[in-house]
Amino acid sequence: MIRSEILKELKPLLSDQLVVCNIGLPSQELHMIDDQPTNFYMLGTMGLASSIGLGLALSQKEKVIAIDGDGSVLTNLGTLPTIANNVADNFILLIIDNGSYGSTGDQPTYAGKKTSLTDVAKACGCENVVECRAENTLDVMKKALEGNQMTIIVCKCESGNVKVPVITMDPVVIRDRFMKEVISKNT
Amino acid sequence: MTDNKQHQIITSWEEDLFNALKQAEVKQLPYVPDAGHSKVINMAHRDPDIRPVVLTTEEEGVALCCGAWLGGEKSVLLMQSSGVGNCINMLSLISNCNFPFVTIITMRGEFGEFNSWQVPMSSATQGSLELMGLNVQRVDEGDDVGSTVAAALYSAYSSDQRIAILLSQKLIGSKKW
């Protein structure tokens, strides 16, 4: 399975959750599969969707899912100790680990070689780290949403992209409609 | 005999700064430690209503501030001038999405600096921030710190402005080794 297939499978779980999604194709795929005002597309800077997600999770009660890639997490490995040490039990970080920099032409990442992001997350102090195969992501995400514990999911999948349109929505609109959803979910 | 004189309570600039954060109801305080910020950081760690978040790099703090505001909480990023260089690209998020943003930056590499390695980034700090669309306000006098921080927080969170406050090295005191 490739990332877009995983996102398609996750659609029924994600559609009414607060989702902060990573730059490039992941956001574009999510936007194409199921654009929702509860999606915050982070379209600039690799590696910081998880930090935005953490700030959001710490500031309100609703569950927050940050979707990141292995390449992005590798550019900001410091996010893992920060997440581990500032526990937000309403926070789920889904790392879709396809071992490649998908948006730039599938160049290999170290996560597809010797580096295990699962082990890195554990070593950083994250207490609930689940590594799964792509086919099991739906079940793992279901459990994470049902539970009340911060969860890091490392989903190992194949690399590959599908043709997707760019997101033409104004970033201010992305922010504005997302914030309205946060307010209505919290009231 | 009654003393009618008003007793003025003398506070340090750090206390003024922290009081401004409290009055504006700042809830998250991400920071990369700096000696100049240490008193404020200690006050935040003792305060149950403010969540200090230690960062591994300054750009993480920009993202945390944006996330906090998506959830409706005000935040301020504390860092040293050398850290500004680490968050330049991430400041795109703030200008693209028009996020309110306040960062308070302690300056190195200027008044009485003993370490020349601090100088290049220090000299480029204000210019870099301005190139990325931030309004930069520099404070040299301790008496001005509280009011400048209060005004910046009001402007940022009432009208989505992006403001960096530079606390000069003359104000903080140069580090002696």
Side-chain angles (χ1 to χ4, degrees):
Chain A
M1 279 177 93
I2 61 172
R3 182 187 51 241
S4 60
E5 292 168 325
I6 295 165
L7 291 174
K8 257 183 216 160
E9 267 211 8
L10 288 177
K11 177 180 162 174
L13 289 185
L14 298 182
S15 59
D16 65 341
Q17 299 290 334
L18 298 175
V19 177
V20 179
C21 193
N22 183 32
I23 183 172
L25 292 175
S27 269
Q28 288 169 238
E29 288 170 0
L30 181 65
H31 175 261
M32 184 183 73
I33 292 163
D34 187 30
D35 179 39
Q36 293 289 341
T38 45
N39 293 346
F40 185 80
Y41 306 110
M42 164 30 169
L43 296 169
T45 313
M46 291 170 74
L48 287 145
S50 58
S51 308
I52 297 173
L54 178 65
L56 172 62
L58 291 171
S59 67
Q60 51 82 58
K61 294 189 183 83
E62 287 296 310
K63 285 217 156 58
V64 175
I65 301 169
I67 301 178
D68 225 329
D70 52 310
S72 275
V73 171
L74 284 165
T75 65
N76 180 27
L77 276 179
T79 192
L80 294 170
T82 305
I83 289 168
N85 288 281
N86 294 276
V87 175
D89 282 324
N90 57 343
F91 185 53
I92 298 166
L93 170 60
L94 168 64
I95 304 171
I96 300 184
D97 181 354
N98 62 7
S100 71
Y101 294 100
S103 298
T104 55
D106 283 330
Q107 298 88 349
T109 69
Y110 290 136
K113 296 186 171 182
K114 290 183 182 175
T115 307
S116 158
L117 289 177
T118 306
D119 291 347
V120 174
K122 284 179 183 168
C124 288
C126 297
E127 281 159 10
N128 189 25
V129 186
V130 184
E131 182 174 307
C132 67
R133 290 165 46 81
E135 291 72 19
N136 301 329
T137 317
L138 189 68
D139 288 340
V140 174
M141 180 59 82
K142 242 184 218 164
K143 255 187 208 151
L145 282 167
E146 283 162 9
N148 193 27
Q149 193 185 2
M150 187 164 80
T151 309
I152 315 291
I153 304 169
V154 181
C155 159
K156 302 292 279 183
C157 68
E158 289 165 42
S159 67
N161 306 307
V162 289
K163 277 226 170 231
V164 279
V166 294
I167 300 172
T168 54
M169 209 184 320
D170 189 312
V172 176
V173 174
I174 296 174
R175 183 199 111 178
D176 187 59
R177 64 179 201 158
F178 186 85
M179 286 183 75
K180 283 180 181 142
E181 290 294 321
V182 176
I183 290 166
S184 85
K185 274 176 161 285
N186 276 276
T187 46
Chain B
M1 206 174 128
T2 318
D3 183 3
N4 286 327
K5 275 185 194 168
Q6 291 235 327
H7 290 286
Q8 203 187 348
I9 300 163
I10 308 290
T11 53
S12 67
W13 66 260
E14 290 97 336
E15 287 168 301
D16 294 344
L17 194 164
F18 192 70
N19 288 337
L21 302 183
K22 291 286 291 176
Q23 272 171 22
E25 296 182 330
V26 168
K27 296 290 182 197
Q28 292 192 36
L29 197 65
Y31 69 90
V32 173
D34 176 58
H37 280 309
S38 60
K39 283 186 186 168
V40 172
I41 290 168
N42 289 340
M43 283 185 254
H45 277 280
R46 287 195 298 266
D47 192 303
D49 296 325
I50 289 191
R51 179 192 294 276
V53 180
V54 191
L55 305 165
T56 61
T57 175
E58 291 80 357
E59 67 170 348
E60 235 191 316
V62 179
L64 273 165
C65 288
C66 294
W69 186 238
L70 287 175
E73 279 194 353
K74 295 178 191 173
S75 62
V76 168
L77 169 60
L78 304 181
M79 62 177 149
Q80 188 190 86
S81 49
S82 49
V84 170
N86 297 342
C87 31
I88 294 302
N89 185 34
M90 195 56 198
L91 294 171
S92 312
L93 173 68
I94 288 177
S95 58
N96 265 334
C97 295
N98 215 22
F99 273 107
F101 179 66
V102 176
T103 177
I104 304 175
I105 299 157
T106 44
M107 294 301 295
R108 290 286 306 270
E110 41 183 40
F111 180 79
E113 177 60 61
F114 79 98
N115 180 0
S116 66
W117 292 66
Q118 290 281 354
V119 177
M121 189 60 233
S122 165
S123 309
T125 294
Q126 180 158 355
S128 309
L129 291 165
E130 285 172 347
L131 280 170
M132 290 310 292
L134 271 75
N135 175 349
V136 180
Q137 298 172 9
R138 186 183 169 86
V139 186
D140 292 302
E141 300 292 335
D143 287 348
D144 296 334
V145 173
S147 59
T148 307
V149 173
L153 282 164
Y154 177 72
S155 300
Y157 287 103
S158 63
S159 59
D160 291 343
Q161 294 188 48
R162 312 176 269 282
I163 300 166
I165 297 171
L166 309 184
L167 303 178
S168 79
Q169 197 165 9
K170 197 168 187 178
L171 164 71
I172 294 153
S174 60
K175 221 173 185 176
K176 296 281 188 296
W177 297 90

